[in-house]
Each structure stands twice: as C-alpha cells, then as structure tokens.
Amino acid sequence: MPSIPFPAAPQGPVPAGASGAAGPATGRPPLISVVVPCFDEEAVLERTHRRLTTVLGALPDCAHEVVYVDDGSRDGTWRTLTSLSGGDPAVRLVRLTRNFGHQQAILAGLRAATGDAVITMDADLQDPPELIPELVERWRAGWSVVSARRTSRAGESRFKVVTAHVYYRLLAALADQPVALDTGDFRLLDRAVVRLLTELPEAEPYLRGSVCWAGFPEVSVGYERLPRPAGRSKYSLRKMAELSRRGLVSCSPAPARMPAVVGVAWLGGAAMTAAVRRHRLPLAAWTFGCEAVLLGLLGEYLRLVHRELRGRPPYVLLERHPPQPDEPAAPAEAAGEAVLPLPVARTRAAR
C-alpha cells in the first residue's frame, strides 16, 4: 500500500537508530506490542487473534506481545480472552471494572504494554492486521509515529462517512495544533511517544489529538477500512458525538472564543446600522454584543485554567546537539520539560 506523507509533521524521521533501533542497541530483537481494546467482541476475538499472531509471528527479527483490554464487556469477551491467554504466552490481559470508554481502554493498554513500539488497533478487524509489517517498516526507518490513514470506509453508512470527513476537516481548521486527517486509533507509537502519553495527567484523554500535539516525526500509510466480519459497531451516535466534543474542546480554542467573535460581529453590525440609519439604536442592541464579548473574555480565562489543569509540559524536547551525558530526570521535570527518552549512546552511534 502507498505511503502517504503526513502533512502536519514538518520534520523528517529521527536519525537511524534513534527511534526504531532500540533492539540492536541492547543486543535483543525489538519488542512489538499490540494493544487491542475490546467491548463485547466475543464474536470476533478468536479470528482477530488468529490473524494477529500470524502477522506478528512473520515479522523478521522481532518479538511480540498482544495486550487485550476488556473495557467492561457484558458478553463472553473476558472468558474468550482468558482462553486465548492460556494457549499463548505472548498474550497479556487487562480488565476494567466497567465500560470507561474507548480512549481510556487504549490508555490502559499503553500503560500495560512493554514494547519498543506499540500498535493500537480495534478488535473488530476493520483495521487489517496485515498492515502491521508496513507500520513496523516505517518505524524502523526512523519515524516515531506511523498512522494508518483511511482511504475508503467500506461497510459504513453514508452518514458516518460524510460526518467523519466534515468533522476532521472542521477540526483541522479550528485547532491550534496539527490534526491528522482521516485517521483513527490504528497507529504505531515509538516507546518515547508512549511514555509521554501515559505520563500526561489527563482525566479525559483524546489520544488522537495528544499524539498530534506532541509533535513527534510522523508519517501515514494508506489503507482501505474493511466491513466488520462479525458483531456490530459499539460506537453509537451518542458516543460519536461525545468523542467529537472531546476532540474539539481538547484541540481547539474556538468554543471558548466563539462568544467574543459573535459579540464583536454584533457590535460592528450595530454600529454600521446606526451609521447608515443615522439614529441611535435601542440600548438592548448594544447590550447583547457587550455581554457576548465579556463571555468570550471569560472563556479565554477558563481556557487558560483548563490548560494549566491538564498539566501538559510547555514543550517536548526531541534531542540535543551536541549530545550531552545522561542527566537525571528530576531537573527537567521540575522545569516542566518533557524530554524524549532517547538513549544518548544510540544517538551518537547514528551519527
């Protein structure tokens, strides 16, 4: 499948050995983890695991593990998972107390995964496991993030296809950070990216936005999204609306600034109307605009509070030049600095 350059990433791949060469630097093959969140997926899990293990077992010079996260399933998902883990030592299981949501389940899997690279994908086989070798190949070429970009969405309603297309482009237009178009949660993340994501103290994670915010070198690979072979989608209209709301609030200042924009436009229109008609407008015509502007200013303060409460570092350090000796993490953390945990010895060897 063709590789589609990710438009929002200005930088190229990390020098060879800085991202995908963790294994050779430590004298062992790199470990590839696959995180699979599950919610009522009993009907498809055995087929998913069979295809996953076939693909992972064929990866050259790689070890692998599969981390299944049961997100409060109500059917026999957990029973099926425990059966799979009994016959495969590479399987690791995480079970949540209830259904916390797709993004939280992925985050739990990322925290449990131990791989040098971690792939996140759904259990329903709409994201084909056969794309994994290409994701790993791009990672070994030095890319920290390799996203799978949907070029088509077979088996999904026209409504879902159109709304997803419009939403991602609207989000990209309104966001104050890069936004990956037409991508979900099927992607490969380098260990450095996983470490940063799992340390962000966010109660409502929007991982797609967090990956783009971090700014790691990213490339995308195109693929055709397939229909579900069994079961039905668990993403109701309500859940899709909730995910869209979370993405908009997480990535864009537009909702907080909208009242100010409306207020300024209203006051401008009122002033032009008064000038054209050459008489004073009622006080109420001005009051609404002033109130909207004040609400917008309040929204800016609330957004600043929101950013502080999220606890994100002010920047992410990719590497230093010339390379410096290893330093304890405490001074950087005290300064609010997120440092990419790239071993200095490996970076030197790459150069």
Side-chain angles (χ1 to χ4, degrees):
M1 297 182 183
S3 172
I4 303 174
F6 182 69
Q11 66 270 62
V14 177
S19 179
T26 57
R28 61 169 176 81
L31 176 64
I32 307 298
S33 298
V34 180
V35 171
V36 185
C38 309
F39 178 59
D40 292 350
E41 297 290 0
E42 178 187 15
V44 74
L45 273 177
E46 290 186 356
R47 195 179 316 182
T48 300
H49 185 68
R50 187 164 54 249
R51 286 176 58 180
L52 258 179
T53 52
T54 299
V55 170
L56 293 173
L59 288 176
D61 302 321
C62 287
H64 70 269
E65 68 174 4
V66 183
V67 181
Y68 290 103
V69 182
D70 184 357
D71 187 22
S73 297
R74 301 158 297 184
D75 61 0
T77 293
W78 182 251
R79 183 173 59 251
T80 303
L81 290 178
T82 53
S83 175
L84 292 174
S85 67
D88 188 345
V91 172
R92 304 177 64 194
L93 305 182
V94 176
R95 189 181 192 185
L96 306 186
T97 57
R98 64 173 178 84
N99 179 236
F100 284 91
H102 186 256
Q103 297 293 287
Q104 286 85 342
I106 293 178
L107 184 59
L110 291 177
R111 286 174 173 162
T114 60
D116 301 299
V118 182
I119 297 168
T120 59
M121 61 178 295
D122 293 338
D124 56 16
L125 290 179
Q126 287 189 278
D127 301 331
E130 290 74 19
L131 192 65
I132 288 177
E134 190 164 356
L135 303 183
V136 174
E137 179 184 350
R138 297 295 188 275
W139 172 67
R140 285 182 144 168
W143 295 96
S144 298
V145 179
V146 188
S147 296
R149 184 174 183 270
R150 302 159 180 167
T151 58
S152 65
R153 304 168 68 112
E156 296 185 351
S157 66
R158 182 68 177 170
F159 172 79
K160 187 172 182 179
V161 172
V162 171
T163 53
H165 180 86
V166 172
Y167 169 74
Y168 281 114
R169 281 146 186 83
L170 177 64
L171 182 61
L174 297 177
D176 57 357
Q177 64 180 52
V179 173
L181 298 178
D182 304 321
T183 62
D185 294 298
F186 187 20
R187 56 168 49 90
L188 180 147
L189 305 172
D190 184 74
R191 169 51 54 184
V193 187
V194 173
R195 185 173 302 178
L196 177 63
L197 294 179
T198 55
E199 289 177 355
L200 293 177
E202 298 183 0
E204 280 197 347
Y206 181 68
L207 296 175
R208 305 173 191 182
S210 298
V211 170
C212 294
W213 162 83
F216 289 88
E218 180 166 352
V219 71
S220 65
V221 175
Y223 78 105
E224 297 179 2
R225 198 157 200 246
L226 306 174
R228 291 178 61 99
R232 60 182 181 82
S233 174
K234 312 305 183 301
Y235 251 94
S236 62
L237 182 61
R238 181 182 65 82
K239 288 185 177 182
M240 287 191 291
E242 166 61 21
L243 185 65
S244 301
R245 177 203 65 80
R246 186 181 299 184
L248 188 62
V249 172
S250 174
C251 301
S252 173
R257 294 174 179 171
M258 190 175 298
V261 174
V262 172
V264 170
W266 184 278
L267 291 175
M272 291 182 61
T273 301
V276 170
R277 294 185 176 183
R278 297 184 178 181
H279 66 78
R280 294 181 178 179
L281 295 179
L283 182 61
W286 303 97
T287 301
F288 172 80
C290 292
E291 290 177 344
V293 171
L294 290 175
L295 283 175
L297 292 175
L298 180 60
E300 286 293 326
Y301 281 105
L302 288 176
R303 180 163 177 80
L304 288 175
V305 173
H306 175 247
R307 292 179 63 179
E308 291 296 325
L309 290 176
R310 293 172 79 177
R312 287 183 173 181
Y315 60 89
V316 180
L317 180 65
L318 183 62
E319 59 180 316
R320 293 186 178 94
H321 185 77
Q324 301 176 10
D326 290 336
E327 299 175 354
E333 292 174 356
E337 178 181 275
V339 181
L340 243 162
L342 299 179
V344 176
R346 237 193 300 147
T347 308
R348 282 178 178 163
R351 293 173 180 165

